[in-house]
Amino acid sequence: MSPRPPDPRTPPSAVTPVDSVFVRTHLGAPPELDAAEWELRVEGLVEHPLTLDLPALLALPQHHLTSVHECFGSPFAPDVPTRAVTNLEWTGAPLSTVLDRARPTGAARHVWFEGADHGDFADEKGIGYVKDLPLARAHADVLLAHSLNGAPLPVQHGFPVRAVVPHMFGTNSVKWLTRLVVSDVRPDHLFTTRLYNRDGHPVRDVDVNSKLLTPYDGDEIPSGDVELTGRAWSTSAVAGVEVSVDDTPWRPAELEPTPQLPYAWTRFTLDTTLSPGPHRIRSRATDTQGRIQPPPGARNSVHEIEVRAR
């Protein structure tokens, strides 16, 4: 990944403005792709290999998707919390439509995603960026996105087309997409089988997580009645969020329902009273799978901020 430090703040709005979205690259500067010359090749174990240009992709049925987009963090420090996270609106063609036209063979089990970026990473030189998904998952809800928040993708976010895989870490949503390979095996690659793995499994589904957003860590605020707000997210619906102030017992926060946005984050609020002086505030989320944010030591550990009331 680039040496750029994590963005210090996550905007509290429901949909993150594009200029506030974190940028992560593995292989140096973004490739310069001409939309008029861009093509997406679909090959491998398919009955009908395809080559789509941008007009052909735009002519397919288009879907809109609002989803959490989260950076996993450094693959060399998989247990260090990053909490670089945004909530974005994407527009594009469902990957399932393209796969249906290509018609994977009976032996097909995986889809490889290849970006146009090339460079050096770790001890490997001149490599490309490759990720993969099981064919069933790739056929479910992956988007070949060309628009972000209602406008064409910016170069740093994958122009002209990128994959968007909801409920998975951003590392799986390959930018500058130019090739899809349908295969019976996973690709043996730096970013698939050697990095971005935990407990012997590829890093894919996001963890249950939460982040306090107002007040922000280090803020000085008036004492008295305060509304604490934040966002929570997971691979399944958020079942609850609890907040603790100064090590008091956990209190349930109020969740804002998002029934039409199953991939988006959930806003939570809690009213409390802060006396003058320093305060430690923590949040932890639980999802409908029963997963709870763990204590410190994990990448999705309980979120903690410190503020001072005056």
Side-chain angles (χ1 to χ4, degrees):
M1 303 175 72
S2 68
R4 176 192 301 249
D7 301 81
R9 290 177 178 256
T10 297
S13 59
V15 174
T16 309
V18 173
D19 58 4
S20 296
V21 178
F22 64 83
V23 176
R24 300 289 185 267
T25 58
H26 294 79
L27 303 174
E32 296 183 4
L33 301 178
D34 185 340
E37 297 180 358
W38 175 86
E39 290 181 337
L40 176 66
R41 289 180 292 143
V42 185
E43 52 196 46
L45 297 179
V46 295
E47 295 180 9
H48 302 293
L50 301 175
T51 299
L52 301 173
D53 59 13
L54 193 56
L57 186 73
L58 294 174
L60 297 175
Q62 300 293 297
H63 285 197
H64 303 284
L65 180 71
T66 300
S67 66
V68 167
H69 185 63
E70 182 186 5
C71 174
F72 175 76
S74 170
F76 302 111
D79 294 325
V80 176
T82 301
R83 274 184 263 263
V85 59
T86 58
N87 197 53
L88 301 169
E89 295 178 342
W90 306 96
T91 302
L95 175 58
S96 59
T97 301
V98 174
L99 291 175
D100 286 344
R101 295 192 177 194
R103 298 185 63 181
T105 68
R109 296 292 182 272
H110 307 270
V111 179
W112 306 0
F113 299 78
E114 297 185 8
D117 47 332
H118 284 76
D120 304 336
F121 193 85
D123 58 352
E124 297 207 17
K125 307 295 183 182
I127 61 172
Y129 192 74
V130 177
K131 298 297 286 189
D132 69 290
L133 291 176
L135 178 61
R137 181 64 177 82
H139 206 278
D141 53 9
V142 179
L143 207 62
L144 303 178
H146 52 77
S147 295
L148 172 59
N149 289 1
L153 284 172
V155 171
Q156 67 270 27
H157 294 301
F159 175 86
V161 174
R162 68 176 295 165
V164 172
V165 189
H167 281 165
M168 288 194 179
F169 288 109
T171 180
N172 298 284
S173 292
V174 176
K175 294 184 283 190
W176 311 296
L177 190 65
T178 56
R179 187 170 179 245
L180 300 172
V181 179
V182 179
S183 178
D184 56 348
V185 297
R186 296 191 64 206
D188 182 14
H189 191 275
L190 178 66
F191 297 119
T192 59
T193 56
R194 279 161 275 168
L195 294 180
Y196 289 115
N197 288 270
R198 288 190 299 184
D199 303 322
H201 300 284
V203 166
R204 287 178 177 150
D205 293 342
V206 299
D207 302 310
V208 60
N209 215 332
S210 68
K211 186 172 184 176
L212 290 155
L213 295 178
T214 57
Y216 195 78
D217 189 29
D219 280 352
E220 183 173 313
I221 60 176
S223 60
D225 294 340
V226 176
E227 183 185 58
L228 307 175
T229 73
R231 300 289 187 271
W233 63 96
S234 184
T235 53
S236 62
V238 173
V241 176
E242 299 169 295
V243 176
S244 172
V245 179
D246 298 327
D247 295 319
T248 57
W250 292 100
R251 294 172 55 195
E254 182 176 349
L255 301 184
E256 180 179 278
T258 53
Q260 305 303 318
L261 300 173
Y263 302 119
W265 58 21
T266 299
R267 183 176 186 266
F268 64 87
T269 60
L270 179 73
D271 293 328
T272 192
T273 301
L274 298 180
S275 60
H279 297 278
R280 174 176 177 247
I281 305 171
R282 296 177 295 154
S283 68
R284 68 179 183 186
T286 301
D287 66 15
T288 54
Q289 299 179 45
R291 301 188 304 170
I292 305 174
Q293 276 184 265
R299 70 162 304 282
N300 63 322
S301 60
V302 168
H303 190 218
E304 176 181 320
I305 65 171
E306 294 184 358
V307 301
R308 176 173 289 275
R310 60 180 184 273

